[in-house]
Amino acid sequence: MDPGSDHFSSNILASSQMVPPEGVPPSTPANMEVDTGEQQQQQEIVNQPRRINPFNTGGITKVVDELAESVKEAFVKFLENFRDDTAYYISSTTQSAYQGRNYMMQIEHLPIEEITTVFVDFTHVQSFDEGLATALKEQYYRLSPYLRRAVQEVVQRHFPHYAHANTSSTHDSVAGAILREFSVSFYGVPDFARVRQLKTEKIGQLITISGTVTRTTEVRPELVYGSFTCNECGKLMNDIEQQFRYTEPTMCQGLQCFNRQHWTLNVEQSKFVDWQKVRIQENSSEIPTGSMPRSMDVIVRGEMVERAKAGDKCNFVGTLIVVPDVASFRTPGTSVESQRDTSTRTREGLGNEGVTGLKALGVRDLTYRMSFLACMVQPANQNKTSAANLHGDEVENETREQVLNDYTHEEIEQLKSMIDLNQEVYQKLVNSIAPNVFGHETIKKGILLQLMGGVHKETPEGMSLRGDINVCVVGDPSTSKSQFLKYVCGFMPRSVYTSGKASSAAGLTAAVIKDEETGEFSIEAGALMLADNGICAIDEFDKMDIKDQVAIHEAMEQQTISIAKAGIQASLNARTSILAAANPQHGRYDRKKTLKANINMSAPIMSRFDLFFVVLDECNDVTDYNIARHIVNVHRLKDDYMQPEFSTEQLQRYIRFARTFKPKMTPEAAEQLANSYRDLRQGDAQGIGKNSYRITVRQLESMIRLSEAIARANCQEEITVGFVKEAYNLLQKSIIRVEQDDVEIEDPMSSNNVVSSTEALEGMQRLNINEQETTHTTDGGDNHMQVEETSSAEPTRQRIRIDYDKFVQIKLMLAHKLRSIQSTEDTVGIRKSDLVLWYLEQREEQIDSVDAYELEKTIIEKVIKKLSKPEHETLLEIDQSAEYGITSNDEEEDEHDPIIMLHPNCVLLE
């Protein structure tokens, strides 16, 4: 059918041709008795001009929309006769009398599912009746009521027990029976429009728009059809359609009643529907260069409410409508309302009717604005495996059966082949993360475990323990930090990317704003709320102000956001994982400083991150060549060069399936976990290569979460010792040890030439080579110069430096040896020569030459001398050995070989 063939019949309202009896006013019914005492007054009324009640519809033929009626009949035929034997849900359901007819089976299941919405694929309408599809596409808003009536007609004809809302009787003549309201939701509409492209030419057409939800209101009841009682004559007027605002009847239909203003709403007989307003914003990929993102209000009704949440990218199917823009009239002290004034209508006509307050504006602004009336809301990504339920958003505790039911047979076979890889699947998953980034395997492991997540737990007291893993990447510029963040935001369907410097506390958590229409305060979601059950990527985290960092303390640990302002007290969910990237202070990471000294971050924030990764830009000819070759090939070959083990879709399906596992800790793994935590604490407390921040109980919980995530990655129900060791190694790599300056162990008064121990050894070898070369010369002057060089070099004593870690290692070895001597023997110390000999015996395997032996002996003697100084409080040199029970016949031996004992103030941790 052609929508252009629309033809409306034109009928002119006429008065009744019946002539009333003589002496009776025309407004009086013919069968009404007239009191003779009022003949004179009635005669005056007869002489006045006759006033006709326009609502006396006794002889008026109603206008029938022939196109809409034909569309209704065609839609009924479509619902009853359309067949699609390939539909998945048809083959999986039980036997039905309507087997093979999609929409009849769907209507049959409406009472079971307790819904009133019929979901129609628009491609089915196009294949069944092209004319019907064209009419719906061009004039959807006009035909929408007839579509609802078509569903009512089908239900009354085939399923009469579900036709009424307040009774299950199959008879239409039941007193007080109210017909159930049905709705039709279309999906798969090909006409796709951007928010910026919505103009008045599309009003009333069936289109699809896409956008990101930024705000949702609470669900409110909307009056669809009102039932009013006239306060003057008591007449009941039903089914008064409401046009996006409270609409009363224009005039009472009573024969002698001309009431226009005094009405009472009958709530019991009126029809209400759920209503919600959603604020959407243009997708970031659709914004033109140099333009600000446009926003639009979307109105959803019925069972479409609460389907869109703040942060979701959704497609809305519906039509563009025009609603009164009441907010634009709001000026201070001006009340905006719709009113009717009938006192002066005879002279001024309609001049005083309508909306007041225009004079206060000074100019006549636009009085209407466009909104979008949606009949269908669905995620922008049609593939459910990569939709928002990747983190179990739609289903709180998604089971494996529910996940596998959404997969096709081929996808299930791919999943089985991935699981059958057993131990190899973990490394292959890591290699599939961010294939455009070369190297950084440790960071990819951390991101994979963050996507897997730990197990959320709840204590018997009701306290929730988070399972989300927070990761922070710190590194030099141009080390692919932002690439990881962009990859995760593109991989996760529910993710938010933001920058720390351009984000405030309210922008990250939640803001309290004033509604422009109602004037009430409401909460607008921030980045952490928008990323609920997802990942929030924060770049330049170190540039964030300290007061803004404090705002996310609660969100990172308790995973809630508490607000108490403007009369609103609320606790909002922020169950999100945070992936942060930070640059070191002064541009480059200083290995001689702690992590806290390198970045501008408070200690409480640092302890809330499970993993810290430090990426250093070090010069290495092999690594630099491989990185350059990788980048060049990516630019030259693009996708042909990047061929990871698993595609993005396979990875998403695997992660969704793996998140259904709830691994438990075995006793052996629990013992290993306790030992690993003790080792981390001891390493931090003793100060051997001091850790960047103190190990707390939060790091113990981090190891638990990482172990659970590794077990999920391997699709295991139990956490083994190997998983705990992998988590321990990952956490240990993320704790950067601080480089210390080399320790000078030579007496500073001996010389000003400072060289390392290896440089000293190389210098001695070069000196021997020079001596051999000079023996073959015959020039006497040269021999004289060599002697001078030799004689001048003899008194020069070079100072030696050793690494800090080696210095601490020697210190601990000596201290433990002296402690054992004091506890097992009667003496309090040991001769210096014996202590040196014991140390050289311990280092016997590392000594492979005479020169190395001499160097090691020199180092230990100088270290003992340095540790014997009072400021170190480690060793003591005792010359008077007789007082401690050690006798010697040689006094010089006491002077050059003193007794070494442990300093009383030296404290060693077991």
Side-chain angles (χ1 to χ4, degrees):
M1 72 185 62
D2 186 5
S5 62
D6 180 19
H7 174 69
F8 292 96
S9 60
S10 58
N11 295 292
I12 303 175
L13 296 178
S15 60
S16 176
Q17 301 298 325
M18 295 178 60
V19 179
E22 185 178 355
V24 179
S27 61
T28 304
N31 59 351
M32 182 180 293
E33 296 183 359
V34 181
D35 190 1
T36 57
E38 300 178 354
Q39 281 289 344
Q40 185 177 359
Q41 182 179 1
Q42 291 178 358
Q43 188 66 31
E44 295 177 358
I45 296 177
V46 171
N47 297 330
Q48 293 179 357
R50 185 171 63 181
R51 188 172 184 179
I52 301 175
N53 187 353
F55 291 95
N56 188 7
T57 59
I60 299 177
T61 303
K62 292 185 178 180
V63 178
V64 178
D65 192 344
E66 296 179 358
L67 171 63
E69 290 293 338
S70 59
V71 166
K72 186 185 77 169
E73 295 175 2
F75 193 68
V76 170
K77 188 183 300 183
F78 164 77
L79 292 176
E80 292 179 341
N81 300 320
F82 181 79
R83 303 179 69 90
D84 183 10
D85 297 328
T86 61
Y88 172 75
Y89 71 91
I90 290 180
S91 60
S92 63
T93 54
T94 58
Q95 293 296 326
S96 171
Y98 305 97
Q99 184 70 27
R101 288 187 278 177
N102 302 36
Y103 298 104
M104 291 303 294
M105 293 185 65
Q106 190 181 144
I107 296 174
E108 184 182 19
H109 283 75
L110 290 181
I112 301 175
E113 300 176 3
E114 297 182 352
I115 60 175
T116 59
T117 303
V118 178
F119 298 92
V120 179
D121 190 346
F122 197 77
T123 57
H124 292 171
V125 182
Q126 287 179 319
S127 61
F128 184 82
D129 189 343
E130 186 67 30
L132 175 61
T134 306
L136 292 177
K137 195 185 304 181
E138 295 295 333
Q139 301 190 23
Y140 168 75
Y141 186 69
R142 168 187 170 187
L143 301 175
S144 178
Y146 293 87
L147 300 179
R148 296 195 292 268
R149 287 188 217 161
V151 179
Q152 277 184 345
E153 185 176 326
V154 173
V155 173
Q156 285 179 321
R157 184 182 306 171
H158 299 278
F159 314 102
H161 63 281
Y162 196 61
H164 297 87
N166 55 353
T167 179
S168 60
S169 175
T170 58
H171 300 287
D172 295 338
S173 60
V174 178
I178 300 177
L179 283 175
R180 193 185 300 271
E181 289 291 331
F182 294 92
S183 58
V184 180
S185 294
F186 291 97
Y187 62 93
V189 178
D191 291 344
F192 216 92
R194 298 181 179 180
V195 176
R196 194 175 295 267
Q197 297 173 344
L198 298 179
K199 300 295 187 294
T200 55
E201 60 185 10
K202 295 185 180 296
I203 293 177
Q205 298 180 4
L206 185 63
I207 56 176
T208 303
I209 64 173
S210 177
T212 303
V213 180
T214 59
R215 190 193 318 166
T216 59
T217 63
E218 68 274 10
V219 178
R220 303 171 185 171
E222 182 188 19
L223 182 63
V224 181
Y225 295 101
S227 177
F228 294 90
T229 302
C230 177
N231 294 341
E232 295 185 2
C233 68
K235 184 175 179 59
L236 186 65
M237 299 185 66
N238 293 320
D239 295 339
I240 304 300
E241 188 176 359
Q242 307 296 304
Q243 297 293 335
F244 303 105
R245 57 181 176 179
Y246 185 68
T247 305
E248 293 179 344
T250 307
M251 185 176 177
C252 181
Q253 295 182 7
L255 295 180
Q256 288 185 334
C257 183
F258 303 98
N259 175 36
R260 293 175 179 269
Q261 294 181 342
H262 307 293
W263 302 95
T264 300
L265 177 67
N266 297 325
V267 179
E268 295 81 5
Q269 300 181 16
S270 300
K271 296 178 182 179
F272 293 87
V273 68
D274 291 333
W275 177 92
Q276 187 181 31
K277 185 171 68 173
V278 178
R279 186 79 169 177
I280 66 170
Q281 183 177 290
E282 272 185 303
N283 294 324
S284 58
S285 59
E286 300 176 355
I287 303 174
T289 304
S291 301
M292 295 294 292
R294 299 279 179 86
S295 299
M296 174 166 284
D297 289 334
V298 177
I299 298 172
V300 291
R301 291 172 172 167
E303 287 154 3
M304 294 298 108
V305 299
E306 296 293 353
R307 289 178 67 120
K309 302 173 184 176
D312 291 345
K313 295 180 181 178
C314 297
N315 290 339
F316 299 89
V317 181
T319 182
L320 198 63
I321 59 175
V322 175
V323 295
D325 190 8
V326 181
S328 64
F329 297 110
R330 237 177 239 287
T331 56
T334 303
S335 175
V336 181
E337 60 183 1
S338 179
Q339 66 179 14
R340 290 184 180 272
D341 186 6
T342 58
S343 60
T344 59
R345 286 194 63 181
T346 55
R347 293 186 178 181
E348 300 182 9
L350 303 177
N352 289 345
E353 294 186 6
V355 180
T356 63
L358 286 174
K359 296 180 180 179
L361 292 177
V363 293
R364 290 183 176 270
D365 287 347
L366 292 177
T367 59
Y368 292 90
R369 59 185 174 87
M370 287 193 298
S371 296
F372 193 82
L373 181 62
C375 66
M376 183 65 181
V377 181
Q378 55 188 157
N381 197 332
Q382 299 295 334
N383 187 5
K384 284 198 69 177
T385 58
S386 60
N389 57 1
L390 179 62
H391 265 175
D393 186 24
E394 294 181 0
V395 182
E396 193 67 27
N397 292 315
E398 202 172 26
T399 62
R400 291 172 212 167
E401 291 76 13
Q402 292 173 334
V403 173
L404 294 177
N405 286 338
D406 292 337
Y407 293 168
T408 62
H409 181 71
E410 296 179 357
E411 293 172 349
I412 294 177
E413 292 299 326
Q414 291 179 355
L415 187 63
K416 287 182 180 179
S417 63
M418 294 172 68
I419 298 175
D420 292 340
L421 294 173
N422 296 330
Q423 301 294 334
E424 298 178 2
V425 68
Y426 177 63
Q427 188 61 41
K428 291 181 180 295
L429 291 173
V430 172
N431 296 335
S432 301
I433 296 290
N436 61 328
V437 179
F438 179 80
H440 299 307
E441 182 178 340
T442 307
I443 300 179
K444 292 182 179 180
K445 285 184 178 180
I447 291 178
L448 174 64
L449 299 183
Q450 186 180 39
L451 295 173
M452 291 289 179
V455 180
H456 290 272
K457 307 179 185 68
E458 188 170 346
T459 62
E461 295 81 11
M463 297 179 60
S464 60
L465 302 178
R466 71 178 171 98
D468 294 313
I469 298 173
N470 299 323
V471 178
C472 183
V473 182
V474 181
D476 296 334
S478 72
T479 50
S480 304
K481 299 188 299 296
S482 298
Q483 291 292 328
F484 284 115
L485 270 62
K486 289 290 187 181
Y487 171 80
V488 171
C489 289
F491 183 87
M492 284 293 296
R494 192 175 178 88
S495 59
V496 176
Y497 182 89
T498 182
S499 178
K501 189 62 177 176
S503 302
S504 63
L508 288 173
T509 55
V512 176
I513 62 173
K514 191 172 185 179
D515 190 85
E516 57 185 10
E517 291 187 1
T518 62
E520 299 177 355
F521 287 99
S522 61
I523 297 175
E524 185 165 7
L528 295 178
M529 282 183 62
L530 295 178
D532 191 23
N533 280 322
I535 290 181
C536 180
I538 306 177
D539 204 358
E540 308 293 344
F541 193 81
D542 58 306
K543 306 298 189 301
M544 192 186 305
D545 295 335
I546 299 297
K547 62 179 181 180
D548 296 331
Q549 290 184 6
V550 173
I552 64 175
H553 279 193
E554 180 188 5
M556 291 185 67
E557 191 62 34
Q558 282 74 35
Q559 295 196 311
T560 57
I561 297 173
S562 299
I563 289 180
K565 59 176 66 174
I568 296 177
Q569 293 184 357
S571 182
L572 312 171
N573 288 326
R575 297 160 295 187
T576 177
S577 302
I578 293 181
L579 177 60
N583 287 322
Q585 289 183 343
H586 312 298
R588 293 283 178 174
Y589 191 90
D590 190 355
R591 297 177 66 97
K592 297 180 180 179
K593 293 181 180 179
T594 61
L595 180 61
K596 188 176 186 310
N598 273 281
I599 57 177
N600 182 25
M601 202 177 296
S602 61
I605 285 284
M606 295 177 64
S607 66
R608 283 169 166 80
F609 280 105
D610 299 290
L611 292 175
F612 262 101
F613 295 112
V614 176
V615 188
L616 302 178
D617 186 14
E618 298 177 332
C619 294
N620 186 310
D621 55 348
V622 177
T623 304
D624 293 342
Y625 172 75
N626 290 331
I627 292 176
R629 185 180 63 177
H630 177 83
I631 294 176
V632 170
N633 289 331
V634 167
H635 282 272
R636 186 169 62 93
L637 304 176
K638 297 183 180 180
D639 293 340
D640 295 336
Y641 180 74
M642 293 183 297
Q643 295 180 353
E645 299 284 346
F646 306 124
S647 64
T648 301
E649 292 76 14
Q650 290 177 332
L651 203 58
Q652 289 173 333
R653 289 193 292 267
Y654 186 88
I655 290 176
R656 184 188 174 195
F657 178 77
R659 287 182 65 86
T660 59
F661 286 84
K662 311 292 182 186
K664 303 291 184 182
M665 188 81 64
T666 60
E668 296 80 8
E671 183 67 23
Q672 179 65 33
L673 192 68
N675 294 332
S676 301
Y677 174 68
R678 182 192 61 188
D679 294 342
L680 286 174
R681 290 281 289 183
Q682 286 184 347
D684 182 60
Q686 288 184 359
I688 306 176
K690 294 180 181 179
N691 293 340
S692 55
Y693 58 92
R694 184 172 180 81
I695 300 298
T696 64
V697 182
R698 283 182 177 147
Q699 275 59 55
L700 174 62
E701 294 182 344
S702 298
M703 273 199 294
I704 296 175
R705 285 189 288 269
L706 292 173
S707 303
E708 293 171 346
I710 296 172
R712 278 182 165 181
N714 291 274
C715 290
Q716 299 293 327
E717 290 286 359
E718 291 185 348
I719 300 175
T720 62
V721 176
F723 296 159
V724 176
K725 289 182 178 179
E726 173 68 18
Y728 170 73
N729 294 333
L730 202 60
L731 188 63
Q732 199 174 33
K733 287 181 181 179
S734 66
I735 301 174
I736 301 301
R737 298 185 179 277
V738 179
E739 279 194 355
Q740 299 285 347
D741 291 333
D742 293 341
V743 180
E744 298 178 6
I745 57 177
E746 182 63 47
D747 187 3
M749 298 300 295
S750 60
S751 176
N752 292 327
N753 298 326
V754 181
V755 295
S756 64
S757 56
T758 55
E759 290 173 348
L761 184 60
E762 292 175 356
M764 294 174 63
Q765 294 174 352
R766 286 197 300 269
L767 185 60
N768 293 332
I769 294 174
N770 292 334
E771 289 177 353
Q772 294 176 3
E773 291 177 351
T774 54
T775 54
H776 298 284
T777 59
T778 56
D779 190 356
D782 292 341
N783 290 334
H784 178 69
M785 290 296 296
Q786 180 64 33
V787 173
E788 287 182 354
E789 289 177 3
T790 306
S791 61
S792 61
E794 284 180 357
T796 302
R797 300 181 60 191
Q798 296 176 330
R799 288 157 46 187
I800 302 176
R801 294 185 302 179
I802 61 174
D803 295 335
Y804 179 80
D805 290 341
K806 184 175 182 180
F807 175 76
V808 175
Q809 184 182 12
I810 296 174
K811 173 183 175 181
L812 290 177
M813 289 177 62
L814 299 179
H816 281 290
K817 175 63 177 176
L818 294 175
R819 172 68 63 83
S820 63
I821 291 175
Q822 291 179 356
S823 59
T824 58
E825 302 179 9
D826 296 335
T827 57
V828 296
I830 185 175
R831 289 285 181 182
K832 180 179 179 181
S833 58
D834 296 337
L835 187 62
V836 171
L837 182 62
W838 172 84
Y839 173 79
L840 294 175
E841 290 175 353
Q842 301 299 319
R843 302 278 297 176
E844 184 176 0
E845 295 181 356
Q846 287 80 18
I847 299 175
D848 54 359
S849 63
V850 178
D851 293 336
Y853 172 81
E854 294 294 337
L855 179 62
E856 201 69 33
K857 182 178 180 182
T858 303
I859 289 175
I860 183 61
E861 290 176 350
K862 294 184 180 301
V863 169
I864 292 175
K865 185 175 181 181
K866 185 176 184 66
L867 293 177
S868 300
K869 294 182 179 180
E871 60 267 18
H872 289 279
E873 295 185 349
T874 304
L875 304 179
L876 285 177
E877 290 186 357
I878 306 299
D879 294 336
Q880 299 176 358
S881 58
E883 297 180 4
Y884 298 94
I886 302 176
T887 58
S888 176
N889 297 327
D890 193 354
E891 295 182 357
E892 294 183 358
E893 183 180 2
D894 291 341
E895 181 179 356
H896 299 288
D897 191 12
I899 298 173
I900 305 299
M901 64 175 294
L902 192 64
H903 197 284
N905 294 339
C906 182
V907 179
L908 295 177
L909 296 178
E910 297 296 338

